[in-house]
């Protein structure tokens, strides 16, 4: 034949050379890395938690108002692997609203023991405030988990009408506020999530298209329209980018930080005028007495 003839010896497998053996081991090692890689390593919507970032994720001040959903899994668990697609879809649906994360219990045994994880995958919710961990016991599909986790979610969007717009603007008058003008019957989930992101930093309001007076005041004729406003402002600042969490967060955050910088400058001015406010043991003088003794944080005897 075209392939020539072979003796029996020719058909026997040859012993691998040192180079071939090394290449085989490297390939096998790489395949092992791929197969044992964390299930959500490349998913931008699922945060991988470990011993270095777990407790920070749970307790950091800017996430204390968020609901956290955490999956505890192992790499060899068949049910975990079959749940990956559903969990990724769930994380996509909850983006900007619920903090979705995962813990690899093969590597993070201490965390999994601390949270009493005995079966895989295990889903737990940590509600706002990081107290009262709740276990999920239903069907492991995005459709089933979604309504369960949303039961723990609450938001801080204020409904704005012609009757309360002045009070809304004048509350913390130096701060910017952000208004969403919408013709939707329900507050958009994305806007609710952003209100949690900025709770205590900036207030988010919602104006329905039926609030004609408020819409006319701000010359809004198209929906949705997003405006950053504050009292005494000549012209509101209009958001012009796409309606996505990342872009909206960055836009709103700019004005939250503007206020923070104004605050910082004011604090520095006060520190120069009243140095005793930043002293560990302030000296009592006629000037400092009212701040030290009557501030409600100290008692002078």
């Amino acid at each position: 034949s075209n392939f020539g003839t072979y003796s029996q010896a020719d058909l026997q497998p040859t012993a691998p050379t040192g180079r071939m053996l090394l290449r085989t081991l490297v390939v096998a090692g790489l395949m092992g890395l791929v197969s044992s890689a964390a299930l959500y390593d490349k998913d931008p919507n699922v945060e991988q938690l470990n011993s270095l970032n777990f407790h920070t994720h749970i307790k950091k001040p800017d996430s204390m108002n968020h609901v956290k959903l955490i999956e505890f899994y192992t790499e060899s668990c068949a049910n975990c692997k079959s749940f990956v697609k559903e969990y990724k879809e769930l994380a996509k649906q909850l983006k900007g609203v619920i903090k979705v994360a995962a813990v690899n219990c093969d590597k993070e045994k201490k965390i999994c023991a601390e949270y009493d994880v005995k079966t895989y995958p295990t889903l737990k919710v940590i509600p706002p405030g990081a107290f009262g961990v709740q276990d999920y016991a239903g069907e492991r599909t995005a459709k089933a988990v979604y309504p369960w986790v949303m039961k723990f979610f609450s938001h801080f969007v204020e409904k704005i009408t012609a009757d309360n717009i002045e009070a809304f603007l004048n509350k913390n008058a130096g701060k910017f506020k952000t208004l969403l003008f919408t013709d939707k019957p329900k507050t958009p989930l994305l806007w609710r999530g952003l209100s949690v992101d900025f709770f205590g930093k900036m207030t988010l309001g919602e104006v329905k298209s039926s609030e004609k007076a408020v819409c006319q005041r701000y010359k809004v004729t198209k929906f949705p329209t997003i405006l950053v406003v504050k009292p005494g402002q000549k012209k509101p600042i209009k958001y012009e980018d796409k309606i996505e969490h990342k872009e909206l967060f960055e836009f709103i955050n700019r004005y939250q930080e503007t206020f923070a910088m104004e605050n910082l400058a004011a604090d520095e001015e006060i520190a120069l005028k009243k140095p005793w406010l930043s002293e560990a043991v302030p000296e009592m003088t006629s000037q400092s007495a009212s701040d030290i003794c009557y501030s409600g944080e100290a008692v002078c005897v």
Side-chain angles (χ1 to χ4, degrees), residues 38-46 71 83-95 100 142:
L39 300 183
Y40 303 99
D41 269 358
K42 293 183 180 179
D43 193 296
N45 301 320
V46 180
E71 180 197 354
F83 183 55
V84 168
K85 185 179 177 183
E86 293 289 332
Y87 198 58
K88 286 184 175 183
E89 176 57 32
L90 182 64
K92 190 177 176 182
Q93 292 175 18
L94 294 172
K95 183 180 179 181
V100 179

Side-chain angles (χ1 to χ4, degrees), residues 202 250 252-263:
M202 182 188 284
E250 289 174 356
I252 295 171
N253 198 45
R254 284 205 297 273
Y255 297 98
Q256 179 261 313
E257 287 174 347
T258 300
F259 174 77
M261 292 305 290
E262 288 171 0
N263 248 9

Side-chain angles (χ1 to χ4, degrees), residues 69-119:
L69 174 65
I70 304 174
E71 180 197 354
F72 297 84
Y73 70 91
T74 63
E75 294 156 2
S76 58
C77 158
N79 288 336
C80 300
K81 290 175 182 175
S82 63
F83 183 55
V84 168
K85 185 179 177 183
E86 293 289 332
Y87 198 58
K88 286 184 175 183
E89 176 57 32
L90 182 64
K92 190 177 176 182
Q93 292 175 18
L94 294 172
K95 183 180 179 181
V97 181
I98 306 288
K99 300 281 188 185
V100 179
V103 176
N104 182 347
C105 291
D106 287 327
K107 297 177 180 176
E108 307 299 336
K109 292 181 170 58
K110 188 176 179 182
I111 295 171
C112 299
E114 182 183 342
Y115 278 80
D116 196 32
V117 176
K118 293 184 170 69
T119 59

Side-chain angles (χ1 to χ4, degrees), residues 251-292:
F251 170 77
I252 295 171
N253 198 45
R254 284 205 297 273
Y255 297 98
Q256 179 261 313
E257 287 174 347
T258 300
F259 174 77
M261 292 305 290
E262 288 171 0
N263 248 9
L264 185 62
D267 289 346
E268 287 174 354
E269 190 177 342
I270 291 169
L272 287 171
K273 290 180 180 176
K274 298 183 175 185
W276 54 84
L277 291 177
S278 57
E279 292 171 352
V281 184
E283 183 184 354
M284 177 77 74
T285 66
S286 58
Q287 288 181 306
S288 66
S290 59
D291 287 320
I292 297 169

Side-chain angles (χ1 to χ4, degrees), residues 42-296:
K42 293 183 180 179
D43 193 296
N45 301 320
V46 180
E47 185 176 356
Q48 281 286 315
L49 300 182
N50 53 49
S51 57
L52 297 176
N53 66 6
F54 185 87
H55 291 96
T56 305
H57 175 83
I58 301 305
K59 297 283 188 181
K60 64 183 176 184
D62 65 347
S63 76
M64 287 297 279
N65 295 306
H66 288 89
V67 178
K68 290 103 176 169
L69 174 65
I70 304 174
E71 180 197 354
F72 297 84
Y73 70 91
T74 63
E75 294 156 2
S76 58
C77 158
N79 288 336
C80 300
K81 290 175 182 175
S82 63
F83 183 55
V84 168
K85 185 179 177 183
E86 293 289 332
Y87 198 58
K88 286 184 175 183
E89 176 57 32
L90 182 64
K92 190 177 176 182
Q93 292 175 18
L94 294 172
K95 183 180 179 181
V97 181
I98 306 288
K99 300 281 188 185
V100 179
V103 176
N104 182 347
C105 291
D106 287 327
K107 297 177 180 176
E108 307 299 336
K109 292 181 170 58
K110 188 176 179 182
I111 295 171
C112 299
E114 182 183 342
Y115 278 80
D116 196 32
V117 176
K118 293 184 170 69
T119 59
Y120 307 99
T122 287
L123 288 176
K124 292 178 184 279
V125 152
I126 300 177
F131 297 106
V133 178
Q134 303 289 319
D135 283 49
Y136 177 71
E139 188 182 352
R140 288 183 177 85
T141 63
K143 187 177 179 181
V145 178
Y146 183 93
W148 176 76
V149 72
M150 286 302 294
K151 289 191 300 182
F152 301 96
F153 176 75
S154 58
H155 67 89
F156 305 99
V157 176
E158 296 192 17
K159 305 283 186 183
I160 306 304
T161 66
D163 295 330
N164 69 8
I165 181 70
E166 293 302 333
F168 172 77
L169 291 171
N170 289 312
K171 183 171 63 178
N172 299 319
K175 279 191 176 185
F176 285 107
K177 284 97 179 167
T178 308
L179 290 174
L180 166 68
F181 293 80
T182 176
D183 55 1
K184 302 296 183 195
K186 291 184 178 180
T187 306
L189 189 58
L190 176 58
W191 201 244
R192 286 183 270 162
L194 285 163
S195 77
V196 178
D197 289 332
F198 289 99
F199 180 68
K201 300 172 186 175
M202 182 188 284
T203 308
L204 272 61
E206 178 187 40
V207 182
K208 297 293 186 186
S209 55
S210 56
E211 288 292 329
K212 304 295 185 189
V214 183
C215 293
Q216 287 169 9
R217 173 175 177 160
Y218 288 101
K219 299 180 173 61
V220 173
T221 56
K222 292 182 179 179
F223 306 93
T225 291
I226 295 167
L227 300 177
V228 170
V229 300
K230 95 173 174 181
Q233 185 184 41
K234 289 182 179 178
K235 188 179 178 182
I237 302 149
K238 188 176 180 181
Y239 177 71
E240 303 280 8
D241 208 341
K242 57 185 176 181
I243 308 294
E244 296 283 349
H245 180 268
K246 181 176 180 288
E247 286 77 9
L248 266 168
F249 182 93
E250 289 174 356
F251 170 77
I252 295 171
N253 198 45
R254 284 205 297 273
Y255 297 98
Q256 179 261 313
E257 287 174 347
T258 300
F259 174 77
M261 292 305 290
E262 288 171 0
N263 248 9
L264 185 62
D267 289 346
E268 287 174 354
E269 190 177 342
I270 291 169
L272 287 171
K273 290 180 180 176
K274 298 183 175 185
W276 54 84
L277 291 177
S278 57
E279 292 171 352
V281 184
E283 183 184 354
M284 177 77 74
T285 66
S286 58
Q287 288 181 306
S288 66
S290 59
D291 287 320
I292 297 169
C293 296
Y294 310 122
S295 66

